[in-house]
Amino acid sequence: NQQTFLTVSATFLREGMMGFQTYFLETIAVLIGLSLLIAVWRRRDLLGGRRGDGMVSNVEFAEHCYGQMLSHLAAKGIVKAPHQTPNEFLDELSALNDRSQRLARELTVSFCCLRYGKKGGGSRQEMDERLRLLKESAEA
């Protein structure tokens, strides 16, 4: 009787532990999957992924403004080389007047802040205004 009791108890415990282990692993896998999904979603938002309401993200806006600045400067003969970082390109702006250099520097700082997730880049309106002023300054 004791041997039967021990055999039945051991079998019951083994099957119970295997069932618990399977349930536990499935629960952990689901929680890890949900955590990863939330992390990816939040990172996408932080990096400026496209918003669901059709608005352009901050990253896309910053890239647009910086591209406009580069196009405007290229028309003036100042071209950014593909290997140059935005900050390295600022050293090439000595041909511009002081005001244009300052505006290009401010636009570059804003672009880098928005594009690479740093603080202190300014608002979209400020970037728009700086781009407008840079175009006016260089044309004058």
Side-chain angles (χ1 to χ4, degrees):
N1 286 340
Q2 288 178 347
Q3 180 139 358
T4 303
F5 174 74
L6 287 175
T7 303
V8 170
S9 297
T11 303
F12 177 75
L13 284 174
R14 190 177 321 111
E15 289 174 3
M17 287 302 288
M18 289 177 71
F20 175 75
Q21 186 178 19
T22 301
Y23 173 75
F24 180 74
L25 290 175
E26 288 173 354
T27 302
I28 294 297
V30 168
L31 290 175
I32 289 172
L34 286 174
S35 297
L36 287 172
L37 182 63
I38 290 168
V40 167
W41 187 261
R42 291 187 75 201
R43 179 150 174 88
R44 178 183 167 273
D45 288 345
L46 289 174
L47 292 176
R50 187 170 276 283
R51 294 170 37 169
D53 59 6
M55 295 284 292
V56 174
S57 72
N58 285 339
V59 172
E60 291 170 321
F61 179 78
E63 288 173 347
H64 170 75
C65 285
Y66 189 70
Q68 289 289 308
M69 180 188 85
L70 292 178
S71 294
H72 178 73
L73 293 175
K76 300 291 180 193
I78 304 169
V79 179
K80 179 183 172 294
H83 67 275
Q84 286 180 308
T85 66
N87 288 326
E88 290 172 341
F89 178 64
L90 288 175
D91 296 336
E92 305 290 322
L93 303 182
S94 59
L96 296 175
N97 62 43
D98 290 339
R99 182 172 185 228
S100 294
Q101 284 183 30
R102 180 182 52 80
L103 290 167
R105 184 169 304 281
E106 291 171 356
L107 271 166
T108 300
V109 168
S110 293
F111 163 73
C112 288
C113 288
L114 287 172
R115 176 65 182 92
Y116 302 111
K118 298 177 186 175
K119 293 186 180 182
S123 68
R124 289 179 176 211
Q125 292 81 10
E126 290 171 339
M127 282 190 80
D128 255 346
E129 182 64 14
R130 288 177 183 139
L131 184 59
R132 186 185 64 74
L133 291 172
L134 176 66
K135 288 178 179 179
E136 287 177 1
S137 175
E139 290 171 1

